[in-house]
């Protein structure tokens, strides 16, 4: 028996229709329908349009009804960059940073990513799972329906495989789609740092030991490298990503966050799904990204949390025609937030993106960055009924009410997975 659900009472329905990546002026076209309705059949969208159009069908008459009483409905957020699995917060470092100790000084003293590696290796599977599940519930409560999740706090073969296996297990028993990325090349782990050619040897281990296992066990779709000062060089990144590609893993990169390593241009050359961060890019990087099919994913939560003021040049990227996406970069060191609405607020005030641009960047372009733009990221016939309902009258109020919880309901494949009390 088919299950039909009719959603009405939508003051603004942001359809984002088109199912393609948005660039330039198209980034601000949300495909808004006033007094909208959505008809869902077995978790997929059967119709989306004005209430009059959608209600006219016979299926609508017999469908289960959901009236959202004048609220705004948009596609569930697609968060294309998270470090979902980690053992603990790094609040102690947060305090040090506020007191003036730099992120890189902390990293050199075994803090930063290596601190999270130590904690993850010592954590039990149950503890990691428990923490990740709580985070997933929080993502849902902020309107997110798909998350990417990276390994990268294991940094030895067993621990990296453990994280990716856990991500696979987390798909069961909770509603979100979790898209896995192998980030064995996050930083060089402590035990390799002591050796003279440690980075070289670790890179070889990623290539010869980790990648074949990750691909062989089908544990990830993407391969990521943190290519930056204190992490991996452009050459090491290229070796890993090329090898990842040979194993069927699509490349993506942490690029030009702390220093410019021409990682973004490497990403473009390799046909990466996305290059993320981009705080330090110059005009030639902007042209390269704009002329490519690689998404430029911006993570303003990092600069905000670290108290930095070197936000990525979003306006220039958009105006040049790059495919700009937004993500939380949920992680314990630089962006401990699951809130895409907060990221939208930062995108508006700090990146000078309009509310419409920010919403498109966090939905359809996020989906594109995960190569899922035909499945999620917009509200149109045939797509998964992944929806976020916000307690606002106008979509611009979603970033406008910063730091407030305005997500009223979240639906995944037509099922209500969150509702505000
Ligand atoms: Zn990251």
């Amino acid at each position: 028996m088919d299950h039909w659900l009719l959603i009405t009472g939508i003051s603004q329905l942001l359809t984002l229709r088109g199912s393609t990546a948005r660039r330039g002026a198209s980034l601000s076209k949300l495909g808004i329908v006033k007094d909208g309705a959505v008809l869902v059949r077995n978790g997929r969208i059967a119709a989306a349009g004005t209430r009059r159009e959608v209600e006219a069908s016979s299926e609508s008459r017999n469908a289960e009804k959901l009236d959202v009483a004048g609220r705004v409905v948009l596609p569930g957020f697609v968060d294309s960059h998270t470090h979902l699995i980690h053992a603990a917060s790094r609040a102690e470092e947060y305090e040090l940073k506020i007191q003036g100790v730099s992120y890189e000084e902390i990293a050199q003293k075994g803090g930063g990513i290596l601190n999270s590696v130590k904690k993850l290796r010592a954590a039990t599977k149950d503890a990691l799972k428990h923490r990740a599940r709580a985070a997933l519930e929080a993502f849902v409560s902020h309107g997110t329906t798909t998350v990417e999740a990276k390994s990268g706090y294991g940094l030895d073969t067993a621990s990296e495989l453990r994280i990716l296996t856990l991500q696979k297990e987390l798909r069961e028993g909770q509603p979100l789609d979790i898209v896995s990325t192998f980030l064995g090349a996050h930083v060089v782990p402590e035990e390799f740092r002591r050796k003279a050619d440690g980075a070289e040897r670790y890179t070889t281990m990623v290539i010869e030991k980790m990648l074949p296992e990750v691909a062989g066990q089908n544990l990830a779709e993407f391969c990521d490298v943190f290519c930056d000062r204190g992490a991996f060089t452009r050459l090491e990144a290229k070796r890993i990503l090329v090898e990842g590609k040979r194993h069927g893993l699509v490349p993506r990169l942490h690029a030009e966050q702390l220093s410019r390593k021409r990682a973004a241009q490497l990403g473009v050359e390799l046909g990466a799904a996305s290059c993320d961060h981009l705080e330090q890019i110059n005009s030639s990087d902007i042209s390269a990204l704009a002329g490519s099919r690689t998404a430029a994913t911006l993570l303003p939560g990092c600069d905000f949390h670290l108290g930095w003021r070197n936000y990525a040049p979003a306006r220039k990227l958009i105006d040049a025609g790059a495919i700009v996406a937004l993500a939380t970069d949920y992680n314990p060191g630089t962006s401990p937030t699951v809130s895409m609405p907060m990221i939208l607020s930062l995108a508006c005030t700090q990146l000078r993106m309009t509310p419409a641009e920010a919403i498109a960047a966090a939905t359809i372009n996020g989906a594109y960055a995960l190569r899922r733009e035909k499945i999620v990221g917009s509200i149109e016939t045939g797509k998964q009924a992944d929806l976020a309902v916000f307690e606002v009258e106008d979509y611009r109020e979603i970033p406008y009410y910063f730091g407030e919880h305005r997500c009223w309901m979240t639906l995944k494949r037509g099922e209500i997975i969150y509702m505000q009390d």
Side-chain angles (χ1 to χ4, degrees), residues 81 83 150 183 186 254 277 299 329 331:
H81 185 140
H83 302 254
K150 301 176 196 295
L183 178 61
H186 200 180
H254 282 67
H277 276 297
L299 310 166
D329 192 13
N331 80 80

Side-chain angles (χ1 to χ4, degrees), residues 180 211 214-216 218 220-223 240-251 371:
S180 277
L211 272 174
V214 170
N218 204 10
E221 282 175 54
F222 296 95
C223 180
I240 292 164
L241 294 175
V242 166
E243 192 60 19
K245 247 174 123 167
R246 217 177 55 75
H247 283 288
L249 302 183
V250 178
R371 306 226 157 150

